[in-house]
Every structure is written in structure tokens, then in C-alpha cells.
Amino acid sequence: MIARIVRFFLGSSRFVCPEGELLGVLDALMRAEIPYDEMRLDTSGYGHFRVFLSDRERVRAVCADYSGLRIEAESGLPHLLFRYRRRLGIPVGAFLFGLLVWMSSHVIWSMDVKGNDTVSDVVIKENLEKLGCGIGSYIPNLDLWQVCNRYLLLNDDLAFISVNMEGTVAHVEVMERQAKQSSEWEPSDDGAPSNLVAARDGQIVRYEVSSGQASVKVHDVVRKGELLVSGVVNTKKNPDNTFRLERAVGRVYARTKRQISVSVPLKQTQLVPFREETLERSLIFFSSSLKVFKKGGKIPTGYDIITEKKQWVLFRDWPILSPVSLPIFSERTVGVYRKEQTKTLSEEEAKQEAYAKLWAEHEKVLQDTETVRYEITEGLSPDGSAYEINMWVECIENIAVEVPIQLRDLG
Amino acid sequence: MGWKGIARYAIQAKQDLLAEGTGISTEGRRRVLVSGCRELLTYTETLVRIRTEDGVVAVKGTGLTLRAFHGNRILAEGEWEAIMREELQ
């Protein structure tokens, strides 16, 4: 095997000579110590043998007396290079092949992000790229530990990020920072004295108090802001004169009424794409961008500039093979001129749209409640310009919210 | 010396190592390897005579071919029947 490889790189020449001259030729080769192999005799009376390409001229010299000797064929790398010396595509192709082989082990080809919900992949990838870790980055130069640390220092959107390399694919795992729950009242710090007050009007159905003193009973009707569970607890020893402060903890469930109203106008004005012009086309290979088209002149006013970036994927819709993402992107920048257009909906269309909005709102507003019953009134507005739906929902929900006790209030 | 020269040198060195002195070895009834070859005296399908450093080696058989020659060693292939040595005159 090794001999074959060496022979390919050195190249070889195959000679042919009549059987009558073969003894003399082989003897001359032996005397001149020129190695040969693959000697064979064919049925038509000719002998064939092979020598190294570098011995070709020596063979000719030592066998000059044998007129029947001639070169039959040549093979090997030197012969191929000589034969295709004028074809520029071959060295260019060889260079590209070498470049791809090198890139296939030293450069990030693709990147996938997992664990994100509200922060988009694009934002995370862009931020990572700013830190030097993106498609086309040179892997040996990357300090992924530092990249992740710097990401968390510079950006507040994530609580955790980890970049793991698997070959040339960067797997990015993230954990988003939990958004602080917005509340009408700020909850107290751990252990700080607090009360539970009603977040809305309602009638108490049940309550569970694990700390603090309940101020309401079942069937009581409470108004928004009314005290439900007090953090000021009278002591058992001298309940009239002494008390202690603690954090009120518990849930107070009440029957409440909620109203959800939606309205969909029958006449709607919307912006629709009217004219579209391609302004620029680029091909991005790893992190290098190559402009293949650019429209001359100025961009007219009133145009929205939209950039579409598409990654090339091999075997995208093939039945058996799984898709392979390539580090090649085509980017297209278009200018879109939008025109205002008035759209008139039929009553049925407006109704469908209104119901879609209603249920979306219902899910958003009443996600932690238990619906007891609901009533819906619907129809066109008095002036007939919109379709309106009003929903009254009777539900059971936890209305307790924590309010810290300000010690100065106690005098 | 370029890479080509190094490769040839390596092949030659190995061949020289194996080709020390005259020797005859066989591999089954199909192959005969003769070392220390100097001159090819006779070559037909039934007889091959080679002058070596120590004398003449004759191989008798049928369908004989001198398959390869490297570093003073010659490889004869064919159905050999007898290998003989003749003293130099």
C-alpha cells in the first residue's frame, strides 16, 4: 500500500518492447541497476514493464540500441499535474478543498440556542458574536468560559449561559432571567412584617393562613385594599396590651367579578406592501460577506428597509436524510413601500376576530382563576361601526396581596 | 535533497538492506527471488539464467516471467521445476 502511494507521488512510466528485444532490455536495466516491476508478456509477443518516472530518461539512454522499445503510458501525480497544468480550476479546487478541510475542524460552522423563550436566538447570537464567538470564529482562539462570563456581565437578559462545542457546532444553552412580578403593592422582604390586603372587591370563599392573624371570615364581603390577614398579632399572655409583628403569609380566595370587553371596528385602515425593490444581495460565508448585487442611486423616502437572512441547508426536505445546516447565508435587503388601505369587514368576520381577541384576553387576565360562570353580550355598537363583546366572569381567585408594615405607622 | 529524493533514498535503503550478498528464496511453486543479480544471461518462458556475484543461477520451469527487479534482486514468477547453480567459467 505504502509502495503504491509512493509510486503515485513519484509517478511511473510503462514501457513496451517486442519479445525478441526483451532479454537485452531487461539485462540493460539490471546492469544499470534501474528498478522495474509489473513485467508481463502478452499473447501478441510483447513485454510490458514499469519504471519510476525519474528513471524514464535513463531507460531510454541505456536501451538506445533497442528500437522496438517505446513508452506505452504514464501515470502518477507528476503526470497528472503536467497533463492538467493549464486548467486553473484544479489548483483553485484543490485550494478550496484544503481550505474546507481546514475549516471543518477549526472554525464554528453553526450555532444552535436552547432554553430561551422570550429572548430570541438572533439576539443571543448577535451578542455572542460581539464577544468574538460566532459563525466563522476560529475555535482554538476561543475561551468559552470567558465569553460566557462576559456575556452575563454585559447583558441582563440571561441568568445563565453555556457554550459547548461539539466538533464545529456550538450548542448554546441558556436560562432566562425571571422577570420581576409586577404588583400593585411591593411584597415585603423575607421575614419583614407585612399584612395581606384585598387586591379587588369580592366575597370570601375560603382562606388558608400560615402566618399572621385573619381579619375576615368566610362569606364576608371585602372591598379593594381592605385588610385580610394582619401581621400585627396579639400575644397570648397579655392580648390586650402586647402584640408582635410578623410577616402575614396565606391565601384568601374570594368570589369576584371581572369584565372583559373587546371591540373590532368594521372599517380598518392597514398598511399593505405596495411596491418592493431589491436593494442589495449578499452571500455570507462564515463571517465574510460578499456583495453580489447592489442597486445604485438613493433609496426613495417612505420605504421600509427589510433585511432577510436565510441559512443554506442541505437535504432540507429529503425523506431519510436529516438536514445539515451550512455556514452559508444569503442576505437580501429590500425596500418596501407601504400604502394605507381601508379594509371593510363583514359582521361575521368582525365577530370572529372579536372572539379571537376575547379568548386571548381571557387567557391572559384570568389565567390563575377558577371560572364559576360567565355571561356574554355581543353585537354591533349603537353607531354600527364596530362589533363589541362584553364578557362578565364570576370567578374564584386568590385576592390577597402582601403589603409591608411601615413601623412608623405604629407610632 | 527534496521529498522525492528522500522517498527514493528510503526505498533504496530498504532494498539494499535486503539485497546483501547472493541468495535464493522461494515462495511456493510460483515464485523465486534471486539476490545479488549482475547480468541476465538467458530469458525464455522455460529457462532463466542470471549471473550473480557468486556464479550463475538457473531456474527451469514453465511460463516464467521476470516480474520485478529492485536493488539487485530479481523476482521470477511461473511454475518453476528446478533451481540450479553453475560455477563461473
Side-chain angles (χ1 to χ4, degrees):
Chain A
M1 184 65 189
I2 291 170
R4 277 188 183 182
I5 294 168
V6 170
R7 186 172 284 282
F8 172 77
F9 280 103
L10 296 181
S12 58
S13 290
R14 187 172 286 280
F15 281 85
V16 60
C17 74
E19 199 173 350
E21 292 181 353
L22 194 58
L23 172 66
V25 168
L26 295 183
D27 183 44
L29 295 181
M30 193 181 284
R31 283 165 186 268
E33 296 188 353
I34 298 171
Y36 71 83
D37 66 355
E38 293 203 351
M39 216 295 288
R40 65 181 172 83
L41 285 167
D42 64 19
T43 50
S44 53
Y46 281 90
H48 306 259
F49 62 89
R50 189 175 66 172
V51 298
F52 281 112
L53 192 64
S54 55
D55 290 331
R56 184 182 63 188
E57 296 311 315
R58 285 178 67 210
V59 172
R60 277 178 172 162
V62 298
C63 301
D65 298 338
Y66 303 100
S67 57
L69 182 72
R70 61 184 167 83
I71 291 172
E72 188 182 14
E74 288 188 332
S75 58
L77 186 64
H79 171 68
L80 286 174
L81 291 176
F82 180 77
R83 188 172 167 186
Y84 297 113
R85 66 191 181 282
R86 290 185 200 283
R87 297 192 186 179
L88 190 65
I90 291 171
V92 171
F95 172 74
L96 286 177
F97 175 75
L99 190 70
L100 278 175
V101 168
W102 179 82
M103 280 181 155
S104 67
S105 57
H106 289 84
V107 171
I108 295 178
W109 278 61
S110 65
M111 193 178 258
D112 59 63
V113 184
K114 280 179 191 168
N116 54 325
D117 193 22
T118 54
V119 186
S120 74
D121 288 12
V122 179
V123 171
I124 295 170
K125 284 179 185 175
E126 276 178 0
N127 288 336
L128 280 171
E129 199 163 353
K130 282 178 197 164
L131 297 169
C133 176
I135 289 175
S137 297
Y138 185 54
I139 295 170
N141 279 356
L142 280 178
D143 185 346
L144 295 173
W145 177 257
Q146 280 298 324
V147 167
C148 295
N149 280 340
R150 283 170 60 206
Y151 188 104
L152 295 176
L153 282 173
L154 298 172
N155 301 282
D156 292 332
D157 49 0
L158 300 181
F160 167 80
I161 183 167
S162 164
V163 182
N164 304 304
M165 293 303 305
E166 189 181 331
T168 54
V169 181
H171 298 289
V172 184
E173 286 180 39
V174 300
M175 194 181 286
E176 290 177 355
R177 199 174 286 280
Q178 293 293 322
K180 204 174 178 183
Q181 284 187 345
S182 59
S183 169
E184 207 171 333
W185 292 280
E186 284 293 314
S188 71
D189 295 336
D190 256 6
S194 63
N195 294 321
L196 294 183
V197 299
R200 62 186 71 253
D201 300 350
Q203 187 181 18
I204 307 297
V205 176
R206 64 180 189 275
Y207 56 84
E208 304 152 4
V209 177
S210 55
S211 175
Q213 197 164 14
S215 305
V216 288
K217 300 189 293 295
V218 174
H219 302 309
D220 280 2
V221 175
V222 293
R223 308 288 293 175
K224 183 181 176 182
E226 204 169 301
L227 182 68
L228 300 174
V229 180
S230 173
V232 183
V233 183
N234 295 98
T235 56
K236 284 180 185 172
K237 214 171 185 180
N238 193 0
D240 297 332
N241 298 323
T242 56
F243 58 87
R244 68 170 189 278
L245 296 175
E246 61 183 36
R247 182 186 177 194
V249 180
R251 294 192 189 98
V252 181
Y253 291 91
R255 190 182 290 265
T256 59
K257 277 190 177 175
R258 300 278 198 114
Q259 185 189 6
I260 302 169
S261 300
V262 291
S263 172
V264 173
L266 297 181
K267 277 191 179 172
Q268 296 179 356
T269 306
Q270 56 186 18
L271 288 168
V272 289
F274 178 65
R275 197 179 299 133
E276 193 177 291
E277 273 187 67
T278 302
L279 304 174
E280 203 174 280
R281 277 182 192 275
S282 308
L283 199 64
I284 301 168
F285 185 64
F286 288 96
S287 53
S288 308
S289 177
L290 179 74
K291 279 191 179 59
V292 289
F293 168 76
K294 189 173 168 70
K295 188 181 180 296
K298 285 185 178 174
I299 300 164
T301 51
Y303 273 67
D304 291 338
I305 308 298
I306 298 169
T307 303
E308 297 167 350
K309 197 174 174 183
K310 277 185 189 168
Q311 187 166 15
W312 291 19
V313 179
L314 277 181
F315 320 122
R316 192 190 290 271
D317 299 317
W318 287 41
I320 301 168
L321 297 168
S322 56
V324 178
S325 298
L326 298 176
I328 307 170
F329 298 84
S330 50
E331 196 177 75
R332 178 172 171 249
T333 305
V334 288
V336 181
Y337 181 74
R338 295 178 196 276
K339 209 170 86 169
E340 274 193 357
Q341 201 177 57
T342 307
K343 187 182 166 191
T344 308
L345 297 179
S346 68
E347 192 180 331
E348 189 57 34
E349 285 171 334
K351 184 181 173 181
Q352 281 180 6
E353 202 175 304
Y355 265 102
K357 278 172 82 174
L358 177 79
W359 292 122
E361 192 68 16
H362 178 274
E363 197 178 326
K364 201 171 97 184
V365 175
L366 304 175
Q367 58 177 345
D368 295 325
T369 67
E370 179 191 332
T371 302
V372 178
R373 66 188 184 88
Y374 64 87
E375 275 176 34
I376 289 177
T377 55
E378 60 180 302
L380 288 172
S381 61
D383 61 354
S385 64
Y387 196 89
E388 293 176 342
I389 303 178
N390 283 307
M391 185 183 199
W392 287 93
V393 186
E394 196 178 315
C395 54
I396 294 172
E397 61 181 312
N398 177 21
I399 59 166
V401 287
E402 195 176 2
V403 182
I405 297 173
Q406 304 295 329
L407 292 178
R408 59 184 155 74
D409 295 347
L410 298 169
Chain B
M1 187 187 285
W3 61 272
K4 194 171 164 182
I6 292 168
R8 293 201 65 189
Y9 179 80
I11 294 167
Q12 195 64 48
K14 189 182 170 193
Q15 287 166 352
D16 290 348
L17 195 68
L18 295 169
E20 223 171 70
T22 304
I24 301 164
S25 60
T26 59
E27 194 183 315
R29 291 298 301 269
R30 295 283 307 164
R31 287 181 156 195
V32 179
L33 185 72
V34 183
S35 309
C37 302
R38 289 280 175 266
E39 192 182 347
L40 185 62
L41 302 173
T42 312
Y43 173 37
T44 64
E45 284 193 12
T46 52
L47 177 66
V48 174
R49 288 176 70 241
I50 304 155
R51 188 174 68 79
T52 66
E53 289 164 356
D54 302 335
V56 175
V57 174
V59 180
K60 272 189 173 182
T62 50
L64 296 174
T65 53
L66 297 173
R67 186 76 179 151
F69 172 73
H70 284 292
N72 291 341
R73 290 181 307 152
I74 204 156
L75 175 69
E77 278 187 356
E79 202 70 32
W80 65 268
E81 289 162 7
I83 302 168
M84 294 165 291
R85 294 198 68 136
E86 302 168 9
E87 287 302 320
L88 283 170
Q89 297 297 315

